[in-house]
Amino acid sequence: MNLKKLICTITQKEQNVMKKCFSIFFLILMFWPVSVSTEMNSQHDGTNASRIGKPGDPANVTRTIEIKVIDNRFLPSKITVMQDETIKFIIKNEGLRRHEMVIDTLENLKKHAKLMRSDPAYISDKPNHVDVLPREQKELIWHFTESSIVDFACGYPGHFKKMRGKIYVEKK
């Protein structure tokens, strides 16, 4: 009789250990994408932030540039600005699908596109990003601090390869 109780007790302990292991495993699965998403979306605040510029002050806008978003391309896709210029981009989605415009380094844009493939419903609240529905228009105000080439793109699945552009920031 005592042997039977011992076997049942060991089985119960094993079940409890398994329940704990499964709980930990599922917690890791639930929070891992959140940590990856947070890390990827904080990249523009990292070491390349000065190279791409920073959010602009609406009171200091020096020029307005309209960018038309047509399914799978930006018009224009090549833009020239001057160092220390604050640009108001008016992004008009004239296409039939949802799009976004994200200003960042090409490396971070690729990471963002990868994130979008894993979670197409994700919408960033970062200042270097605007999401536009079909027939919608939004503004993005950006201050270009350094002479460089700054990239922009749409990271939605199937869009990234064709929907890219460059901003040539010329020395003052």
Side-chain angles (χ1 to χ4, degrees):
M1 189 78 160
N2 285 340
L3 182 60
K4 205 174 192 181
K5 265 186 171 178
L6 180 63
I7 290 171
C8 288
T9 306
I10 292 171
T11 305
Q12 185 64 37
K13 286 181 182 179
E14 287 175 344
Q15 286 177 358
N16 287 339
V17 168
M18 281 189 70
K19 284 180 185 178
K20 287 179 184 178
C21 288
F22 278 121
S23 296
I24 291 169
F25 176 73
F26 285 113
L27 282 172
I28 290 169
L29 281 178
M30 284 176 46
F31 290 106
W32 179 70
V34 172
S35 68
V36 169
S37 172
T38 302
E39 177 187 328
M40 291 174 90
N41 287 302
S42 65
Q43 290 294 321
H44 82 276
D45 295 329
T47 58
N48 293 317
S50 63
R51 192 176 81 70
I52 67 164
K54 62 183 183 179
D57 180 351
N60 296 329
V61 169
T62 54
R63 191 160 45 121
T64 300
I65 297 174
E66 183 178 297
I67 297 178
K68 291 182 183 178
V69 181
I70 301 170
D71 291 333
N72 292 331
R73 65 184 169 150
F74 290 104
L75 291 175
S77 62
K78 294 178 182 167
I79 299 165
T80 303
V81 301
M82 296 299 293
Q83 181 182 0
D84 287 328
E85 203 171 7
T86 300
I87 303 293
K88 179 198 295 186
F89 293 102
I90 298 176
I91 298 94
K92 291 183 175 183
N93 186 351
E94 295 184 357
L96 301 174
R97 297 187 291 177
R98 179 181 217 140
H99 293 288
E100 65 179 5
M101 179 179 168
V102 183
I103 296 175
D104 213 324
T105 64
L106 186 56
E107 177 186 352
N108 286 343
L109 290 170
K110 286 178 181 178
K111 289 178 184 177
H112 176 72
K114 185 176 180 181
L115 169 70
M116 294 298 288
R117 284 192 302 275
S118 67
D119 184 7
Y122 175 78
I123 298 174
S124 175
D125 62 349
K126 301 292 182 187
N128 65 328
H129 176 277
V130 291
D131 189 82
V132 285
L133 296 171
R135 308 292 176 222
E136 188 176 37
Q137 170 180 309
K138 288 190 179 174
E139 295 177 359
L140 190 155
I141 300 174
W142 202 254
H143 180 75
F144 295 93
T145 56
E146 289 186 20
S147 173
S148 65
I149 298 173
V150 178
D151 292 280
F152 64 94
C154 176
Y156 278 102
H159 299 203
F160 183 72
K161 286 186 179 177
K162 293 182 182 179
M163 289 192 74
R164 294 193 220 175
K166 295 200 178 286
I167 303 167
Y168 298 92
V169 184
E170 295 181 347
K171 206 171 204 87
K172 206 173 183 186

